[in-house]
Amino acid sequence: MAGLPKVLLSGFEPFNGELLNPSQEVLAELSGERIAGHRVEPLLLPVDFEAAPAALLAAIERHRPELVLCTGEAGGCTGLRLERVALNFIDARIADGAGRQPREIDVLAGAPAAYLCRLPLAEMAEALRDHGVPAELSLTAGSYVCNAVYFRLLHALAGTGTRGGFIHLPYLPEQACRHPGAASLSLATQAKGLGIALGVALGQ
Amino acid sequence: MAGLPKVLLSGFEPFNGELLNPSQEVLAELSGERIAGHRVEPLLLPVDFEAAPAALLAAIERHRPELVLCTGEAGGCTGLRLERVALNFIDARIADGAGRQPREIDVLAGAPAAYLCRLPLAEMAEALRDHGVPAELSLTAGSYVCNAVYFRLLHALAGTGTRGGFIHLPYLPEQACRHPGAASLSLATQAKGLGIALGVALGQ
Amino acid sequence: MAGLPKVLLSGFEPFNGELLNPSQEVLAELSGERIAGHRVEPLLLPVDFEAAPAALLAAIERHRPELVLCTGEAGGCTGLRLERVALNFIDARIADGAGRQPREIDVLAGAPAAYLCRLPLAEMAEALRDHGVPAELSLTAGSYVCNAVYFRLLHALAGTGTRGGFIHLPYLPEQACRHPGAASLSLATQAKGLGIALGVALGQ
Amino acid sequence: MAGLPKVLLSGFEPFNGELLNPSQEVLAELSGERIAGHRVEPLLLPVDFEAAPAALLAAIERHRPELVLCTGEAGGCTGLRLERVALNFIDARIADGAGRQPREIDVLAGAPAAYLCRLPLAEMAEALRDHGVPAELSLTAGSYVCNAVYFRLLHALAGTGTRGGFIHLPYLPEQACRHPGAASLSLATQAKGLGIALGVALGQ
């Protein structure tokens, strides 16, 4: 399996007082899995406006993946949220892990205002729902670290043959217990969903 | 196990265009299970203002359970909803399985306006959340078949030593796929939660 | 106008850190108004499990109204919420104005579990919507001071010719500004709606 | 007043089965008003992917405004939604007024992926809330006619001294009556809010 082409799958550490992050938990579930002839390489990122993009770009250099799928937590959403847009804009309502809270600035000065994802998001969402995994298309990945990482990813991949995407994940049920009224999805369902989404993106 | 005291666990058939009902699916998961020294006896009810209470009361006669827990679907809720109140009131927004749609009438003329559940609902909800299952206390089970069954149950049990309760269940993920933005909970989590709730109710 | 039959309209003082309470503001709008041949008598109540019912019952003694309509704030709701049920149950998640926070107790020991409102709520809701005022029927007034006052009201009126009801009101826009994502309704719309609801209730 | 510099304020006709559109109604309220030394010029647009941008660009040619503020309806939102991003992407879930329903296409081939609004949106939102008008910042204006018009506007204004923006408006209470549970805001509050937002935008 060492010779298989790779998919780089990133997730984030817990933040904002949470003890878990679904995007970290799914890494353990999918790490080393073989999907559509590709091997899943996991990468855990800190919730940090500088360290996270740096670690992602370094991992791309190292692993030379054919596809990069980043994931992050979007507390309150009900299904997998496939992000269409990476925006060149940061406006943080809470500080990141390093204590920075930039307001209304560019992710990267001089870069385009946005990148649109080239993955077949509508087909991915349809496949997810066909397999019983709630999913929706989203036009904004927010203005926090998730979006900044996504923007840096699509900026780095622009003009290369490598494709990238971002999927936001709901709370795990354990997290939702501490947020009355918040929706959640089990780890098994979330991991199954990411496998399906990757399968479609990789050519199925 | 034949000699064990029984818990009667009821669920409903799919309705309102759904292909599944979480309260039916959990029956298969828990049927015959042993919880806190009791055996779970399953009962599937039709979504019918007359046939459902009749079948429930007949099953109570037949099984002589120590505890009766009814369950039903509450599409859109995010966790198990423990119902405090059974109301002597019907106001149906959609027809039942037999085509009846009663508006603003009593469940049972001459009976009290409501019954309050005597199960330790707050402790049950706390135990659920402690085990990672989202749960909330609710003060209304609606004015449709679920509530009518619940009212007939607590009316029948009033003055007896048998206790009863009602728990509303969220959509299964497969259902939520057809309701954009609706929350859901996996069957495994829902069944686990009912087991925990029954354990607390029976252990007191 | 002194000789007109009276409607007693109650509202509450601000609570839970709010600077306003829509149910207080509507009193000023409707105080002394003539609706369907009745004069509106306003009554401001404290958010207090003991003082509020006491003041309400004293005002009924004093004014001998033909109809009593209590109002209160239900932050987050989108329209006037016409309450069908007054429940003999208190479970306070925050302390009242006197610092009491009773959990899982009766409003009145030995009284019925609930009273159902005898006002024509469905007709009132329909009239509201026909006049452009969002409205919904509700089966629970909660388990806090609003519900306790409502229960004491319907208990006191039971067997008399006087009718009573309760309508929960949304935030005012000024309040919603401090609660991102919360719905609101302008004071003018809320006061107009209460006038319409009273007109229907009195006209029957 | 003929000699005053102009603000062009656009709204849309009702669509999707609605009888009203808040963005049309506010035009009548603000037409001809003088705000911060500017005269408000109203413009009603059809919900049409081709005719709407064409009419807007023609009106800009004709009126030579200093500022262009487009408005549209976003059913379900609770306050004025100040749109940060105009996206070069169309994905229509319902047909427009001319029966077209384009899926996953560019607004304008060869144009940038997005434009970011240069108006002081955070200050506008703060001023709105300070004056009791619920408001929020938004990172997506959707992928329907509103966003397409917005994109064409910012593309046309790029490199000129003229600034542009887009504000989505909640349902009017009359509309919310037909959408149970949907939030609304009165016409008076919406019009007041647009006046405040324009005042801040023009005062800089």
mmCIF file of all heavy atoms in Angstrom, chain A residues 18 20 171-179 184-187, chain B residues 129-134 189 192:
data_model
loop_
_atom_site.group_PDB
_atom_site.id
_atom_site.type_symbol
_atom_site.label_atom_id
_atom_site.label_comp_id
_atom_site.label_asym_id
_atom_site.label_seq_id
_atom_site.Cartn_x
_atom_site.Cartn_y
_atom_site.Cartn_z
ATOM 1 N N GLU A 18 -14.227 23.202 23.770
ATOM 2 C CA GLU A 18 -14.671 21.826 23.520
ATOM 3 C C GLU A 18 -13.584 20.828 23.941
ATOM 4 O O GLU A 18 -12.400 21.137 23.909
ATOM 5 C CB GLU A 18 -14.967 21.622 22.021
ATOM 6 C CG GLU A 18 -16.119 22.443 21.494
ATOM 7 C CD GLU A 18 -17.443 22.048 22.116
ATOM 8 O OE1 GLU A 18 -17.675 20.851 22.310
ATOM 9 O OE2 GLU A 18 -18.235 22.957 22.438
ATOM 10 N N LEU A 20 -13.597 17.759 22.492
ATOM 11 C CA LEU A 20 -13.428 16.954 21.283
ATOM 12 C C LEU A 20 -13.573 17.860 20.068
ATOM 13 O O LEU A 20 -14.152 18.944 20.152
ATOM 14 C CB LEU A 20 -14.537 15.894 21.188
ATOM 15 C CG LEU A 20 -14.638 14.824 22.270
ATOM 16 C CD1 LEU A 20 -15.936 14.041 22.096
ATOM 17 C CD2 LEU A 20 -13.441 13.889 22.170
ATOM 18 N N TYR A 171 -21.356 18.699 15.355
ATOM 19 C CA TYR A 171 -20.934 18.195 16.661
ATOM 20 C C TYR A 171 -21.087 16.677 16.707
ATOM 21 O O TYR A 171 -21.996 16.100 16.086
ATOM 22 C CB TYR A 171 -21.835 18.752 17.774
ATOM 23 C CG TYR A 171 -21.560 20.164 18.201
ATOM 24 C CD1 TYR A 171 -22.628 21.033 18.453
ATOM 25 C CD2 TYR A 171 -20.275 20.639 18.416
ATOM 26 C CE1 TYR A 171 -22.418 22.334 18.881
ATOM 27 C CE2 TYR A 171 -20.056 21.950 18.838
ATOM 28 C CZ TYR A 171 -21.124 22.787 19.065
ATOM 29 O OH TYR A 171 -20.911 24.064 19.492
ATOM 30 N N LEU A 172 -20.265 16.029 17.492
ATOM 31 C CA LEU A 172 -20.532 14.653 17.907
ATOM 32 C C LEU A 172 -21.625 14.686 18.983
ATOM 33 O O LEU A 172 -21.768 15.689 19.683
ATOM 34 C CB LEU A 172 -19.251 14.029 18.478
ATOM 35 C CG LEU A 172 -18.107 13.905 17.467
ATOM 36 C CD1 LEU A 172 -16.804 13.589 18.178
ATOM 37 C CD2 LEU A 172 -18.439 12.856 16.428
ATOM 38 N N PRO A 173 -22.392 13.594 19.155
ATOM 39 C CA PRO A 173 -23.441 13.588 20.181
ATOM 40 C C PRO A 173 -22.911 13.967 21.569
ATOM 41 O O PRO A 173 -23.587 14.693 22.314
ATOM 42 C CB PRO A 173 -23.954 12.142 20.154
ATOM 43 C CG PRO A 173 -23.708 11.681 18.749
ATOM 44 C CD PRO A 173 -22.423 12.347 18.341
ATOM 45 N N GLU A 174 -21.694 13.516 21.893
ATOM 46 C CA GLU A 174 -21.123 13.843 23.202
ATOM 47 C C GLU A 174 -20.989 15.359 23.386
ATOM 48 O O GLU A 174 -21.145 15.871 24.496
ATOM 49 C CB GLU A 174 -19.730 13.217 23.358
ATOM 50 C CG GLU A 174 -19.715 11.702 23.370
ATOM 51 C CD GLU A 174 -19.743 11.097 21.969
ATOM 52 O OE1 GLU A 174 -19.921 11.841 20.973
ATOM 53 O OE2 GLU A 174 -19.586 9.862 21.871
ATOM 54 N N GLN A 175 -20.658 16.054 22.308
ATOM 55 C CA GLN A 175 -20.536 17.507 22.399
ATOM 56 C C GLN A 175 -21.901 18.172 22.519
ATOM 57 O O GLN A 175 -22.091 19.124 23.259
ATOM 58 C CB GLN A 175 -19.835 18.062 21.152
ATOM 59 C CG GLN A 175 -18.418 17.598 20.960
ATOM 60 C CD GLN A 175 -17.845 18.184 19.675
ATOM 61 O OE1 GLN A 175 -18.076 17.676 18.589
ATOM 62 N NE2 GLN A 175 -17.107 19.273 19.800
ATOM 63 N N ALA A 176 -22.858 17.663 21.745
ATOM 64 C CA ALA A 176 -24.190 18.280 21.721
ATOM 65 C C ALA A 176 -24.858 18.201 23.098
ATOM 66 O O ALA A 176 -25.719 19.022 23.420
ATOM 67 C CB ALA A 176 -25.068 17.615 20.661
ATOM 68 N N CYS A 177 -24.448 17.218 23.903
ATOM 69 C CA CYS A 177 -25.017 17.115 25.260
ATOM 70 C C CYS A 177 -24.763 18.373 26.072
ATOM 71 O O CYS A 177 -25.507 18.670 27.002
ATOM 72 C CB CYS A 177 -24.420 15.912 25.987
ATOM 73 S SG CYS A 177 -24.995 14.337 25.334
ATOM 74 N N ARG A 178 -23.697 19.088 25.732
ATOM 75 C CA ARG A 178 -23.365 20.305 26.471
ATOM 76 C C ARG A 178 -23.910 21.558 25.788
ATOM 77 O O ARG A 178 -23.676 22.671 26.253
ATOM 78 C CB ARG A 178 -21.847 20.421 26.621
ATOM 79 C CG ARG A 178 -21.232 19.236 27.392
ATOM 80 C CD ARG A 178 -19.717 19.300 27.364
ATOM 81 N NE ARG A 178 -19.228 20.568 27.887
ATOM 82 C CZ ARG A 178 -18.052 21.104 27.577
ATOM 83 N NH1 ARG A 178 -17.250 20.495 26.729
ATOM 84 N NH2 ARG A 178 -17.686 22.251 28.088
ATOM 85 N N HIS A 179 -24.597 21.384 24.678
ATOM 86 C CA HIS A 179 -25.177 22.522 23.949
ATOM 87 C C HIS A 179 -26.651 22.245 23.696
ATOM 88 O O HIS A 179 -27.003 21.751 22.613
ATOM 89 C CB HIS A 179 -24.449 22.724 22.615
ATOM 90 C CG HIS A 179 -23.000 23.036 22.740
ATOM 91 N ND1 HIS A 179 -22.547 24.304 23.012
ATOM 92 C CD2 HIS A 179 -21.901 22.257 22.665
ATOM 93 C CE1 HIS A 179 -21.217 24.293 23.067
ATOM 94 N NE2 HIS A 179 -20.808 23.061 22.869
ATOM 95 N N SER A 184 -26.406 16.992 16.130
ATOM 96 C CA SER A 184 -25.157 16.230 16.132
ATOM 97 C C SER A 184 -25.273 15.068 15.158
ATOM 98 O O SER A 184 -26.348 14.796 14.611
ATOM 99 C CB SER A 184 -24.850 15.697 17.537
ATOM 100 O OG SER A 184 -25.853 14.785 17.953
ATOM 101 N N LEU A 185 -24.154 14.380 14.959
ATOM 102 C CA LEU A 185 -24.116 13.191 14.116
ATOM 103 C C LEU A 185 -23.044 12.282 14.708
ATOM 104 O O LEU A 185 -21.987 12.749 15.118
ATOM 105 C CB LEU A 185 -23.742 13.598 12.682
ATOM 106 C CG LEU A 185 -24.405 12.905 11.490
ATOM 107 C CD1 LEU A 185 -25.912 12.880 11.603
ATOM 108 C CD2 LEU A 185 -23.983 13.589 10.198
ATOM 109 N N SER A 186 -23.316 10.991 14.755
ATOM 110 C CA SER A 186 -22.368 10.078 15.385
ATOM 111 C C SER A 186 -21.065 10.017 14.593
ATOM 112 O O SER A 186 -21.031 10.279 13.387
ATOM 113 C CB SER A 186 -22.977 8.682 15.497
ATOM 114 O OG SER A 186 -23.072 8.099 14.220
ATOM 115 N N LEU A 187 -19.984 9.643 15.282
ATOM 116 C CA LEU A 187 -18.684 9.521 14.632
ATOM 117 C C LEU A 187 -18.748 8.516 13.486
ATOM 118 O O LEU A 187 -18.195 8.751 12.404
ATOM 119 C CB LEU A 187 -17.639 9.084 15.674
ATOM 120 C CG LEU A 187 -16.225 8.844 15.155
ATOM 121 C CD1 LEU A 187 -15.693 10.066 14.426
ATOM 122 C CD2 LEU A 187 -15.303 8.463 16.309
ATOM 123 N N ARG B 129 -27.234 12.396 29.138
ATOM 124 C CA ARG B 129 -26.173 13.330 28.739
ATOM 125 C C ARG B 129 -24.818 12.873 29.274
ATOM 126 O O ARG B 129 -23.792 13.020 28.595
ATOM 127 C CB ARG B 129 -26.521 14.739 29.201
ATOM 128 C CG ARG B 129 -27.699 15.317 28.411
ATOM 129 C CD ARG B 129 -27.925 16.787 28.705
ATOM 130 N NE ARG B 129 -28.446 17.000 30.026
ATOM 131 C CZ ARG B 129 -29.694 17.381 30.319
ATOM 132 N NH1 ARG B 129 -30.565 17.608 29.329
ATOM 133 N NH2 ARG B 129 -30.071 17.552 31.558
ATOM 134 N N ASP B 130 -24.811 12.311 30.474
ATOM 135 C CA ASP B 130 -23.545 11.805 31.022
ATOM 136 C C ASP B 130 -22.970 10.691 30.149
ATOM 137 O O ASP B 130 -21.756 10.467 30.134
ATOM 138 C CB ASP B 130 -23.757 11.257 32.440
ATOM 139 C CG ASP B 130 -23.896 12.365 33.465
ATOM 140 O OD1 ASP B 130 -23.618 13.541 33.125
ATOM 141 O OD2 ASP B 130 -24.305 12.074 34.604
ATOM 142 N N HIS B 131 -23.838 9.992 29.452
ATOM 143 C CA HIS B 131 -23.371 8.917 28.572
ATOM 144 C C HIS B 131 -23.308 9.357 27.109
ATOM 145 O O HIS B 131 -23.261 8.524 26.200
ATOM 146 C CB HIS B 131 -24.281 7.688 28.705
ATOM 147 C CG HIS B 131 -24.113 6.967 30.011
ATOM 148 N ND1 HIS B 131 -24.756 7.373 31.166
ATOM 149 C CD2 HIS B 131 -23.350 5.896 30.360
ATOM 150 C CE1 HIS B 131 -24.411 6.555 32.159
ATOM 151 N NE2 HIS B 131 -23.572 5.666 31.701
ATOM 152 N N GLY B 132 -23.359 10.647 26.868
ATOM 153 C CA GLY B 132 -23.148 11.146 25.514
ATOM 154 C C GLY B 132 -24.358 11.070 24.607
ATOM 155 O O GLY B 132 -24.237 11.129 23.383
ATOM 156 N N VAL B 133 -25.553 10.974 25.188
ATOM 157 C CA VAL B 133 -26.770 10.942 24.373
ATOM 158 C C VAL B 133 -27.560 12.236 24.604
ATOM 159 O O VAL B 133 -28.068 12.465 25.698
ATOM 160 C CB VAL B 133 -27.651 9.730 24.748
ATOM 161 C CG1 VAL B 133 -28.905 9.699 23.875
ATOM 162 C CG2 VAL B 133 -26.870 8.436 24.595
ATOM 163 N N PRO B 134 -27.671 13.091 23.588
ATOM 164 C CA PRO B 134 -28.421 14.340 23.750
ATOM 165 C C PRO B 134 -29.849 14.076 24.223
ATOM 166 O O PRO B 134 -30.529 13.182 23.704
ATOM 167 C CB PRO B 134 -28.398 14.948 22.344
ATOM 168 C CG PRO B 134 -27.174 14.383 21.697
ATOM 169 C CD PRO B 134 -27.057 12.983 22.249
ATOM 170 N N THR B 189 -27.352 5.250 18.642
ATOM 171 C CA THR B 189 -27.390 6.214 19.740
ATOM 172 C C THR B 189 -28.787 6.275 20.361
ATOM 173 O O THR B 189 -28.940 6.372 21.591
ATOM 174 C CB THR B 189 -26.970 7.615 19.240
ATOM 175 O OG1 THR B 189 -25.696 7.518 18.603
ATOM 176 C CG2 THR B 189 -26.878 8.610 20.391
ATOM 177 N N LYS B 192 -29.277 3.033 22.410
ATOM 178 C CA LYS B 192 -28.448 3.137 23.614
ATOM 179 C C LYS B 192 -29.126 4.062 24.632
ATOM 180 O O LYS B 192 -29.207 3.759 25.833
ATOM 181 C CB LYS B 192 -27.064 3.679 23.237
ATOM 182 C CG LYS B 192 -26.160 4.044 24.405
ATOM 183 C CD LYS B 192 -24.862 4.702 23.889
ATOM 184 C CE LYS B 192 -24.114 5.435 25.004
ATOM 185 N NZ LYS B 192 -22.980 6.225 24.489
#
